[in-house]
């Protein structure tokens, strides 16, 4: 492999490629150390070693040692704690797709680059497909809990807001409604999974559904505990709902390779649409029954 000096502008790009590879190496090593399952840890370490090999390939052209981007490694570490290791790995792989396109422009100038691309495109994808994370296997249960909580509680809170026009009373009614509904949803998920003869544990499916529901309920009700004006509380609750939808759909779009935009717009339209209809119903009920609280 050639070690001749390269042009200044090309050297700059090679150094960036080299930095990306060493950053990936340290990020994968970090993930491998925190993953408890030995099989998953071994797979991630293998991916890390590929990144180190690629780093050494670029070093033969730059003749320089390049430090990792510690900020990126920290970001990936944080994401691993929040969303799990599979999310981080797929997020990193998604970013490398763009890098691979740039690599192709140097195939003729860098012997061995095609092999590197093959490893990035094939071997790592195969390794990622072998990963098995429990939270990802129960993603469907989390979807059920989130979707139901967002649609039902956002609508309920909108209706209660204009029926009661009292933030504390609305929060109390919403919390009781939400907690009760979470138990109901968890029980339904338990019975559903149990009747399907699925490989999933009915108890764990119910737990993921219930926890996702309760956390969403608490996040949506929070504005009613922070604000005295019911209109402000409702506005921030709707904003919270959109934030939850955005975060969740971004997660799913990365780990499941779904379209973020279409799913986000669909869930947002449904949740806000139900909230608007509930607002109308709440206003009508208050007016017809002349409720004053």
């Amino acid at each position: 492999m050639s070690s001749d000096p390269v042009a200044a502008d090309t050297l700059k790009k090679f150094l960036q490629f080299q930095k990306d590879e060493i950053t990936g190496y340290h990020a994968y090593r970090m993930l491998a150390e925190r993953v408890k399952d030995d099989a998953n840890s071994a797979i991630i370490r293998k991916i890390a070693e590929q990144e180190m090999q690629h780093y050494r390939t670029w070093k033969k052209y730059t003749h320089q040692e390049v430090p990792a981007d510690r900020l990126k490694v920290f970001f990936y570490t944080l994401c691993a704690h929040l969303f799990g290791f599979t999310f981080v790995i797929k997020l990193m792989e998604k970013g490398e797709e763009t890098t691979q396109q740039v690599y192709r422009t140097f195939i003729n100038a860098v012997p061995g680059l095609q092999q590197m691309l093959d490893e990035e495109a094939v071997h790592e994808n195969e390794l990622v497909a072998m990963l098995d994370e429990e939270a990802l296997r129960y993603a469907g249960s989390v979807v059920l809990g989130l979707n139901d909580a967002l649609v039902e509680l956002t609508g309920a809170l909108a209706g209660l807001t204009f029926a009661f026009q009292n933030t504390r009373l609305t929060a109390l009614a919403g919390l009781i409604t939400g907690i009760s509904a979470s138990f109901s949803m968890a029980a339904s998920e338990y019975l559903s999974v149990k009747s399907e003869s699925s490989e999933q544990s009915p108890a764990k499916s119910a737990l993921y559904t219930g926890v996702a529901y309760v956390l969403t309920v608490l996040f949506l009700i929070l504005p009613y505990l922070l604000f005295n004006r019911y209109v402000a509380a409702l506005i921030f609750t709707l904003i919270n709902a959109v934030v939850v939808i955005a975060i969740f759909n971004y997660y799913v779009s990365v780990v499941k390779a779904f379209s973020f935009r279409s799913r986000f717009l669909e869930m947002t339209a449904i949740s806000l649409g139900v909230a608007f209809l509930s607002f109308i119903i709440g206003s009508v009920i208050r007016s017809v029954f002349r409720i004053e609280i």
Side-chain angles (χ1 to χ4, degrees):
M1 188 170 290
S2 173
S3 60
D4 294 336
V6 296
D9 57 338
T10 302
L11 177 62
K12 186 176 180 180
K13 293 178 181 178
F14 284 10
L15 287 170
Q16 184 58 55
F17 296 157
Q18 193 176 345
K19 190 179 190 70
D20 291 341
E21 299 294 353
I22 196 63
T23 299
Y25 167 78
H26 285 288
Y28 286 124
R29 290 290 298 181
M30 171 274 299
L31 290 172
E33 290 173 3
R34 71 178 303 273
V35 171
K36 296 179 180 179
D37 183 85
D38 292 338
N40 284 331
S41 182
I43 292 169
I44 298 172
R45 281 198 302 272
K46 187 171 182 179
I47 298 176
E49 289 307 315
Q50 287 185 349
E51 297 294 298
M52 176 55 75
Q53 291 174 11
H54 300 165
Y55 169 82
R56 289 169 179 156
T57 297
W58 291 115
K59 184 182 175 182
K60 291 179 180 179
Y61 289 89
T62 64
H63 305 290
Q64 297 181 39
E65 292 286 352
V66 179
D69 186 335
R70 293 297 176 183
L71 186 60
K72 273 190 178 181
V73 175
F74 171 78
F75 171 73
Y76 291 137
T77 304
L78 180 62
C79 286
H81 284 291
L82 295 175
F83 303 114
F85 66 85
T86 303
F87 171 84
V88 175
I89 290 174
K90 293 206 172 187
L91 181 63
M92 292 171 66
E93 292 298 309
K94 192 173 182 179
E96 289 182 1
E97 290 176 4
T98 302
T99 302
Q100 290 172 24
Q101 294 176 1
V102 180
Y103 277 10
R104 297 184 188 283
T105 62
F106 295 98
I107 285 182
N108 294 330
V110 181
L113 185 55
Q114 184 60 57
Q115 180 182 350
M116 190 188 303
L117 285 168
D118 291 340
E119 290 178 355
E120 295 278 3
V122 180
H123 301 310
E124 290 184 5
N125 288 338
E126 291 176 351
L127 290 171
V128 170
M130 293 168 62
L131 293 171
D132 181 26
E133 186 173 16
E134 181 181 280
L136 200 59
R137 282 186 275 123
Y138 290 93
S141 298
V142 175
V143 171
L144 181 64
L146 279 172
N147 282 350
D148 203 69
L150 285 167
V151 174
E152 288 190 7
L153 197 66
T154 302
L157 287 174
L160 292 170
T161 295
F162 286 90
F164 295 156
Q165 295 187 6
N166 181 301
T167 56
R168 294 297 183 271
L169 192 57
T170 301
L172 178 62
L175 190 59
I176 293 172
T177 301
I179 297 298
S180 299
S182 70
F183 289 141
S184 175
M185 287 299 300
S188 297
E189 179 69 354
Y190 176 87
L191 294 173
S192 175
V193 173
K194 190 173 183 179
S195 66
E196 292 174 355
S197 300
S198 171
E199 293 182 359
Q200 296 181 351
S201 164
K204 286 185 177 181
S205 296
L207 180 63
Y208 276 101
T209 299
V211 169
Y213 201 114
V214 169
L215 291 178
T216 306
V217 166
L218 294 176
F219 192 55
L220 293 178
I221 288 177
L222 183 61
Y224 288 89
L225 301 175
L226 299 177
F227 298 96
N228 291 323
R229 294 183 178 182
Y230 64 90
V231 175
L234 177 60
I235 290 173
F236 277 95
T237 287
L238 296 178
I239 292 173
N240 283 359
V242 174
V243 169
V244 171
I245 292 170
I247 292 174
F248 174 70
N249 278 284
Y250 180 66
Y251 172 85
V252 173
S253 70
V254 172
V255 299
K256 297 288 189 180
F258 289 156
S259 168
F260 169 80
R261 186 173 180 273
S262 61
R263 290 176 60 88
F264 170 74
L265 292 177
E266 181 182 38
M267 284 187 67
T268 301
I270 291 173
S271 296
L272 297 185
V274 170
F276 177 73
L277 291 176
S278 299
F279 150 68
I280 298 296
I281 293 171
S283 299
V284 169
I285 291 175
R286 182 182 176 87
S287 176
V288 171
F289 291 97
R290 302 179 183 277
I291 298 174
E292 296 293 339
I293 298 175

